[in-house]
Amino acid sequence: MIQDVGVPTDTGVLESRLTGLGRDEFAREVWGRTPSLTRRASDFSDLFSSAAVDELVSRRGLRTPFLRVAKDGATLPESSFTAPGGVGATIADQLDDTALWRAFADGATLVLQALHRTWEPVGTFTSRLATELGHPVQANAYVTPPQNQGFDAHYDVHDVFVLQITGTKRWLIHEPVVTAPTRAQPWTAHRAAVAEAAAGPPVLDTVLEPGDVLYLPRGWLHSAVAQGTVSTHLTLGVHPWTRHAVAAQLAETALATLREDPELRTSLPLGAQGPGEELDEIRARLLAALTTADPAPLLARTRRAQGRPAPLGPLAQLAALDALTDTTPVRLRPALEARLDGTRLWTRAGWLDLTPADLPAVRRLLDGGPHPARDPGTALVRRLLRAGVLVPAAP
């Protein structure tokens, strides 16, 4: 039996903070189909702010590639805004806040990358959104001086939610030149077509104000210019699983099966210029392998590798172990992508082999809710705490 943690069915951040639409309605009317603009969707000051930008740039000791700097459609060299950190922190590529200030004052856009790894409120939010959508989510922030533009018209190979944090920004949206592009189809391979399309009338010409949210499916062309004040927006990038990706996983699973076929491991005849008359037999065996292949285990491993579990504090975890009693509330660690396959529990923190007697308790833990340690049993809870699978839950 294979069991996964289910997608929450209650109101989530997609509806309450981003679109006003439930997950089913968003999937039916918007997802992957058309841009969608939601005015005054939410107050995002709890997620990010100008003060957060200053702290990340000047006090966190960030290194590249957690920041890019762009101006007039070009990315500046990292050496122009990094420097050694000084005594005790002689890493050569830490952010140089003085150099960044000068670049910013000269019209450059600061791009804080992978904020889901460096800013806790954004990390928590993206983790919840990823769980709701069933696709990985990452976050960048774009900080643009007044009347400036960081990037020319382009398209992304992932869907995006643009959350306007401070200031205003004018967005021009054009129809795709490549429908639903994959990572192997970047906009740079279609520069001429992108430039030609962007020169025509836009599908959408709008100014985003704080609290507005713009959703763009991958492939839609976009460019943006800050207006009269500094503009800060968050871009939540949704990296969707595609049917092409599933087909690739299916083919990989089938090829792994064919590696166990001694007949296919034999060499082609000497002097062969190709498979020749053997092609039909090879194709038949491949089709048979595809017909019976189960890509689910490989898909699950790939999915787990695309994200990280919620942060785990080693000192808090040790304290929880030391203070563990029958009444201690515990829960599954968020964003763990836990999957029970037979008696093996697969997670982003590794895998554990369980006994058949453990399975009923572990299945209950997979609901993600709090449980007193006596429910699954303190011995099992202690093991799962040590493995980083369980964490203390608020009483």
Side-chain angles (χ1 to χ4, degrees), residues 71-85:
K71 184 181 178 184
D72 299 328
T75 300
L76 302 186
E78 295 177 354
S79 59
S80 69
F81 58 87
T82 58

Side-chain angles (χ1 to χ4, degrees), residues 19-88:
T19 67
L21 303 176
R23 194 165 65 98
D24 290 345
E25 185 179 0
F26 179 79
R28 183 175 61 253
E29 304 294 336
V30 179
W31 171 247
R33 291 178 173 83
T34 183
S36 176
L37 174 61
T38 305
R39 296 292 189 190
R40 295 176 293 280
S42 184
D43 176 6
F44 297 119
S45 59
D46 59 321
L47 296 185
F48 205 60
S49 65
S50 298
V53 175
D54 283 345
E55 180 174 339
L56 284 163
V57 166
S58 64
R59 299 181 181 276
R60 291 294 184 96
L62 293 185
R63 304 172 60 189
T64 56
F66 284 108
L67 186 124
R68 284 186 297 154
V69 181
K71 184 181 178 184
D72 299 328
T75 300
L76 302 186
E78 295 177 354
S79 59
S80 69
F81 58 87
T82 58
V87 174

